[in-house]
Amino acid sequence: MILQFISRESSLILAVTPANMDLANSDALKLAKEVDPQGLRTIGVITKLDLMDEGTDARDVLENKLLPLRRGYIGVVNRSQKDIEGKKDIRAALGAERKFFLSHPAYRHMADRMGTPHLQKTLNQQLTNHIRESLPTLRSKLQSQLLSLEKEVEEYKNFRPDDPTRKTKALLQMVQQFGVDFEKRIEGSGDQVDTLELSGGARINRIFHERFPFELVKMEFDEKDLRREISYAIKNIHGVRTGLFTPDMAFEAIVKKQIVKLKEPSLKCVDLVVSELATVIKKCAEKLSSYPRLREETERIVTTYIREREGRTKDQILLLIDIEQSYINTNHEDFIGFANAQQRSTQLNKKRAIPNQVIRRGWLTINNISLMKGGSKEYWFVLTAESLSWYKDEEEKEKKYMLPLDNLKIRDVEKGFMSNKHVFAIFNTEQRNVYKDLRQIELACDSQEDVDSWKASFLRAGVYPEKDQAENEDGVQENTFSMDPQLERQVETIRNLVDSYVAIINKSIRDLMPKTIMHLMINNTKAFIHHELLAYLYSSADQTSLMEESADQAQRRDDMLRMYHALKEALNIIGDISTSTVSTPVPPPVDDTWLQSTSSHSPTPQRRPVSSVHPPGRPPAVRGPTPGPPLIPMPVGSAATFSAPPIPSRPIPQNLFANNDPFSAPPQIPSRPARIPPGIPPGVPSRRPPAAPSRPTIIRPAEPSLLD
C-alpha cells in the first residue's frame, strides 16, 4: 500500500525514523530508495530526539554528515503518549519542541532548521517547486482545452434564453446550416470526411453505377427461354402458312417484352436512392438535437417533400420506358440490322472487356474449403476480363490458383447461422468442378454492399447471376420441339437483332436514370431546403415552441460555460504562481551507497557510545560527538571503553571531584555492563571488528546548560 503512493512522481516522501533506532537499517529509507534512487523526493525525518539516552545525540545525522540524504534530515519532537492523554495543547507542544532544540547543546546551533514548523516550511517549498515544474505541462493542457471550448462557448457568452431576437437568429442559422450540410453530404466535401464507410453522395453514386447495372443484368434473359419464345413468335406470326422470310413483327414483340422488364429494376433504384436521402436527412438533423421540436419538424417536412418527389420521379421513369417501348427505332446507328444479324455470332452475349484488363482487386474469404485443410481462409483476389486469380497476400507473388471465367455464373448463398459474413458462390454451368473437387466456391464478404460491388465487377467481366427458375416441363417440351434448319436460322437472326437492340435500350436507360433522379428528386430537394423550408417551419408551429431548448442542452450549456470560466481562472492562477513564487534549486547528489547495504550489522564508525533503547540483537545507532571542552584520553583496555556512557549534559556537584581527579570516584559515573548479543556464550570472542588501537575512547566533561 505504501509503494502504491510513494511510486508516484508527484509525491514527496517523508522517510520517518525514530532517533532511538538504527538509521542504517531504516525500512522507510530503504523503501524510499527503491522508488526514488536519485533522492529528489525523499526528506528524512528524525523523531523521538528527546527519548535518546542522556549524553547521546543525532547531531551528525541532522547535519547530513553521517548517513547523508540528498535533501537532508529534519528533527522533530512530538507529543508523548502522556502529553496526548493529558490533552496537551498543540501550541504548547510546538513551544516545548522549540525550547528543546534551543536548550540542547547539540542542536541549538541549528535550531532554526529543526522542528515541525521548519518541516512544514520545507514541505511547502518542495510543493511550490513541484508545482512550478509542472506548470508548463499543465498550462499547455489547459490552453488546449480552452481552445477546444471557445468555438462552442462563443455562441453562449451573451446567451439569454427568452430573447426573441436570439431565437430568430438561431433558427435562421440552423436552417441555413442544415441546407449547407445536406448539400455537402450529397456533393461531397473535404471537411469532416468519413473514413470508415461510404455515406451520402458516395452511396448514391454506388447505386447509380454499380447496383442499378447489376439489377439490369439480373433480369438478363435466359438463352433457352429466349430462343423458345422467338420460335413460338415466328410460328404464331406465320400461322398456318410456312414462312419463307424472317418476320420483323417477331423481333418487335420480343423487344417490347424485354423493355417492359426494365421497369422493376428502375423503380427499385429510385427506392434505394430515397432510402439514402432519408438517412442523409437524419444525419444532417443531428445538429438540431438541441431543439427537439425543430428537429422533428424539419425531418418531417423534408421527408414528406422527398416522398412527393419520389412519386413524380417514378412516373417520369415509367414514362421513359413507355417512350422506348412505343417506337422501335431500327435505324439507330448502333443497331446491327438484318443484314449483319445473320453473320453475327452468339458470343456477343459476352461483352468482355479488354483481355487481361484488371477489373477489381480485394480480399475475399473462401468458405467451403474442407476442414482438413484449415476451413475458411482469406485470400487476395484479382479479377480480370478472362480469369479470377487468388494469391496469399496483396503483394501478388504467391499465386494459389487461376480460374478461367468461361461458363461461370453467380448464385446467392444463405448466410450461416453463426456467421456474420455475407456469401455468394461461383459455379460452372456445365456441372464441372470449379476448384479441385468443389462444384462451387463460396466467397464471403464483411457486408452486403461488398457482395453487391463484387457482383457488379463480375458482371463487367461477363459472369452473370443464375436465373431464379428451375427446369420444368417447358424445358422438356423444348427438347421435344423439332426445329427445322430454316426456322433455326430465323431464330438465330432475331436472337442477334434482339440482343443488339436491348443493348441500346439498356445503355440509354443507364444513362437517363441518374439524370432523372438527380433532376427531379435530389436537386429539387436541395432547392426546397434552401428556399422554402423556413417558410414551412414558420407555418407549422410558432417560433417559441420550435426553439424550446431540451433539458439536456441547457445542462450541457451550463456545464460548458462553467468549465470555460474555470479554465480561464486556472490559467490566471498559474500566471500568478509563476510570478509570485520562488523555486529553490535541487540539492547536489550525496553518497548514499550506505542505503545499498541490506546487512543488519552494517559497520559504522563508533564515535560515541550509543543509545540503549533499541531492540535486542539490533546494532546500536550511531550518534555524533557533543561539543565541549578538550577531550581527556582514557587508558585502552579499561572496562569503561565499551560500557561507560558519557557524562550527561547537566550540572554536576563540585564535591564529586574534590581531589581534581576525574577518575578518583568511578562509582559516581553511571555505567552499565557490556551488552553481549543473545545466543553467544561468555568467553566466545565477538565477531564485531575491534576498535582501532590508535583511537582511545574519550569522555567529555559536562557543559553548563543554557537553562542555568
Side-chain angles (χ1 to χ4, degrees):
M1 185 172 64
I2 293 172
L3 286 173
Q4 178 183 356
F5 288 94
I6 67 176
S7 298
R8 301 172 183 170
E9 291 296 326
S10 59
S11 65
L12 289 176
I13 305 172
L14 294 186
V16 182
T17 306
N20 54 7
M21 294 183 66
D22 185 12
L23 188 64
N25 291 321
S26 169
D27 292 334
L29 289 173
K30 288 180 180 178
L31 285 176
K33 180 69 175 177
E34 289 181 15
V35 299
D36 183 29
Q38 303 296 326
L40 296 174
R41 300 185 287 118
T42 304
I43 300 174
V45 179
I46 305 297
T47 63
K48 300 185 180 180
L49 291 169
D50 56 333
L51 298 182
M52 296 179 68
D53 285 349
E54 294 183 2
T56 61
D57 57 66
R59 175 180 173 178
D60 284 359
V61 173
L62 294 175
E63 289 181 344
N64 213 27
K65 295 179 180 178
L66 189 64
L67 310 179
L69 287 178
R70 188 164 188 171
R71 293 197 179 274
Y73 296 88
I74 297 175
V76 297
V77 176
N78 297 322
R79 293 183 297 174
S80 64
Q81 187 63 34
K82 182 179 179 181
D83 295 336
I84 296 174
E85 293 174 355
K87 298 183 179 180
K88 186 175 182 178
D89 187 57
I90 294 294
R91 293 186 180 87
L94 292 176
E97 180 187 48
R98 177 69 175 167
K99 184 177 180 180
F100 171 81
F101 285 113
L102 286 173
S103 62
H104 200 288
Y107 311 131
R108 60 188 177 189
H109 67 289
M110 52 180 168
D112 58 335
R113 292 182 282 110
M114 295 291 117
T116 303
H118 180 70
L119 176 61
Q120 179 184 6
K121 180 181 177 182
T122 302
L123 291 177
N124 284 337
Q125 184 60 54
Q126 297 305 322
L127 180 61
T128 302
N129 292 349
H130 172 71
I131 291 175
R132 285 178 62 88
E133 292 171 0
S134 305
L135 285 185
T137 304
L138 183 60
R139 181 188 290 110
S140 175
K141 184 177 180 180
L142 292 177
Q143 286 175 343
S144 63
Q145 290 182 357
L146 190 65
L147 288 175
S148 65
L149 287 178
E150 272 186 348
K151 291 183 179 179
E152 298 183 41
V153 171
E154 189 66 31
E155 56 180 305
Y156 298 141
K157 284 185 177 179
N158 302 316
F159 185 81
R160 288 180 296 172
D162 299 328
D163 185 6
T165 306
R166 182 200 64 81
K167 290 184 177 181
T168 303
K169 181 180 178 182
L171 178 60
L172 291 173
Q173 289 178 343
M174 287 187 176
V175 172
Q176 183 180 8
Q177 186 62 42
F178 179 81
V180 171
D181 291 343
F182 180 81
E183 188 166 356
K184 282 185 176 181
R185 286 184 175 273
I186 296 297
E187 302 294 339
S189 172
D191 56 340
Q192 300 179 354
V193 177
D194 190 352
T195 58
L196 300 179
E197 62 178 359
L198 293 179
S199 61
R203 294 176 66 92
I204 294 176
N205 178 73
R206 192 172 187 173
I207 293 172
F208 287 160
H209 302 294
E210 290 187 9
R211 188 67 184 270
F212 180 59
F214 175 71
E215 294 294 333
L216 287 181
V217 179
K218 277 178 67 175
M219 45 77 61
E220 187 92 15
F221 34 75
D222 185 85
E223 187 69 24
K224 294 180 181 178
D225 292 342
L226 180 63
R227 287 181 175 273
R228 185 174 63 251
E229 290 176 3
I230 293 174
S231 65
Y232 288 159
I234 293 174
K235 285 185 172 257
N236 288 332
I237 290 173
H238 286 159
V240 296
R241 301 181 302 276
T242 302
L244 299 177
F245 303 99
T246 304
D248 55 354
M249 292 179 62
F251 162 73
E252 287 194 11
I254 298 297
V255 166
K256 287 181 179 181
K257 187 176 180 180
Q258 298 302 320
I259 292 176
V260 172
K261 293 181 180 179
L262 295 175
K263 291 183 178 181
E264 182 180 351
S266 300
L267 296 180
K268 185 175 182 180
C269 177
V270 176
D271 292 336
L272 292 173
V273 173
V274 169
S275 176
E276 289 300 329
L277 287 177
T279 303
V280 171
I281 294 299
K282 288 185 178 180
K283 291 285 186 182
C284 295
E286 288 178 356
K287 291 187 177 180
L288 308 179
S289 57
S290 305
Y291 305 95
R293 181 72 188 281
L294 176 62
R295 176 179 181 176
E296 180 183 346
E297 286 297 316
T298 302
E299 288 187 16
R300 182 186 64 81
I301 292 171
V302 178
T303 304
T304 302
Y305 182 79
I306 290 176
R307 292 298 179 185
E308 293 176 1
R309 304 308 301 181
E310 175 189 4
R312 295 191 59 180
T313 304
K314 287 184 176 180
D315 291 341
Q316 182 66 29
I317 289 173
L318 293 177
L319 178 61
L320 288 176
I321 295 176
D322 291 340
I323 290 173
E324 293 288 351
Q325 192 180 10
S326 64
Y327 178 70
I328 307 301
N329 182 18
T330 55
N331 288 327
H332 194 282
E333 58 183 2
D334 294 333
F335 187 61
I336 59 173
F338 278 91
N340 297 326
Q342 297 176 353
Q343 304 172 3
R344 196 72 178 253
S345 68
T346 58
Q347 293 187 357
L348 276 176
N349 187 37
K350 293 187 177 181
K351 308 173 186 64
R352 293 292 177 85
I354 303 173
N356 298 325
Q357 178 190 9
V358 176
I359 296 175
R360 179 161 185 165
R361 289 183 170 91
W363 290 99
L364 285 173
T365 302
I366 300 181
N367 263 5
N368 56 338
I369 298 179
S370 63
L371 294 178
M372 296 298 293
K373 298 179 181 179
S376 61
K377 194 169 183 181
E378 196 173 26
Y379 294 101
W380 178 260
F381 279 75
V382 177
L383 175 64
T384 67
E386 296 181 348
S387 64
L388 176 66
S389 306
W390 53 92
Y391 300 82
K392 180 181 179 182
D393 50 38
E394 62 266 26
E395 295 181 0
E396 300 182 12
K397 293 182 179 179
E398 185 178 343
K399 181 184 286 188
K400 294 296 184 181
Y401 195 74
M402 185 180 74
L403 177 65
L405 299 183
D406 297 328
N407 300 319
L408 292 185
K409 279 197 174 184
I410 299 174
R411 66 161 59 111
D412 293 326
V413 178
E414 291 186 2
K415 186 170 64 172
F417 177 70
M418 297 297 292
S419 174
N420 57 356
K421 289 182 175 292
H422 299 262
V423 187
F424 67 98
I426 297 176
F427 67 99
N428 193 298
T429 56
E430 298 181 355
Q431 303 298 319
R432 296 180 181 177
N433 291 342
V434 178
Y435 174 61
K436 296 184 177 179
D437 56 345
L438 300 176
R439 287 296 179 93
Q440 70 176 21
I441 54 173
E442 296 179 1
L443 303 177
C445 303
D446 292 331
S447 66
Q448 185 61 42
E449 294 180 357
D450 292 338
V451 172
D452 294 340
S453 181
W454 271 101
K455 287 180 178 179
S457 300
F458 275 106
L459 290 179
R460 292 177 55 195
V463 180
Y464 299 105
E466 178 188 26
K467 289 292 291 183
D468 295 331
Q469 65 179 28
E471 292 293 334
N472 50 26
E473 296 180 358
D474 293 340
V476 177
Q477 292 177 7
E478 183 218 357
N479 293 334
T480 59
F481 180 78
S482 60
M483 186 178 293
D484 59 77
Q486 182 180 356
L487 179 59
E488 187 173 353
R489 286 194 300 271
Q490 292 176 351
V491 168
E492 185 66 25
T493 301
I494 292 181
R495 167 70 182 84
N496 292 335
L497 291 173
V498 170
D499 193 12
S500 174
Y501 196 82
V502 168
I504 295 172
I505 299 299
N506 283 349
K507 183 178 180 182
S508 176
I509 292 296
R510 284 166 58 180
D511 180 61
L512 287 175
M513 273 290 297
K515 296 177 180 178
T516 305
I517 294 174
M518 283 297 298
H519 175 68
L520 293 178
M521 186 181 298
I522 298 177
N523 290 342
N524 272 273
T525 303
K526 287 193 294 185
F528 173 80
I529 292 174
H530 282 298
H531 301 127
E532 300 181 39
L533 175 60
L534 188 61
Y536 274 83
L537 285 172
Y538 274 118
S539 63
S540 65
D542 63 316
Q543 177 180 327
T544 304
S545 62
L546 283 176
M547 299 306 294
E548 184 177 349
E549 258 189 331
S550 64
D552 293 340
Q553 174 63 16
Q555 181 66 34
R556 179 175 175 271
R557 183 186 67 252
D558 294 341
D559 293 343
M560 189 180 300
L561 289 173
R562 193 179 301 112
M563 175 66 72
Y564 180 77
H565 293 305
L567 289 173
K568 292 191 70 174
E569 184 179 358
L571 287 173
N572 292 333
I573 293 174
I574 288 176
D576 294 341
I577 292 175
S578 301
T579 56
S580 61
T581 57
V582 179
S583 62
T584 58
V586 179
V590 297
D591 182 12
D592 57 358
T593 54
W594 58 274
L595 273 175
Q596 305 294 337
S597 174
T598 58
S599 173
S600 63
H601 54 274
S602 173
T604 53
Q606 303 290 330
R607 295 189 182 180
R608 295 291 306 272
V610 299
S611 168
S612 61
V613 186
H614 55 72
R618 184 186 286 262
V622 179
R623 309 295 175 214
T626 304
L631 305 179
I632 302 175
M634 185 175 181
V636 179
S638 171
T641 59
F642 183 78
S643 62
I647 299 173
S649 299
R650 61 177 64 175
I652 300 177
Q654 297 298 326
N655 60 357
L656 290 178
F657 301 99
N659 56 0
N660 296 326
D661 184 1
F663 301 99
S664 61
Q668 301 297 331
I669 302 173
S671 63
R672 61 183 175 188
R675 286 184 179 272
I676 300 177
I680 301 178
V684 177
S686 173
R687 296 183 181 180
R688 186 182 303 279
S694 59
R695 298 184 60 189
T697 302
I698 55 180
I699 298 177
R700 302 173 187 271
E703 185 177 57
S705 173
L706 289 178
L707 295 178
D708 300 331

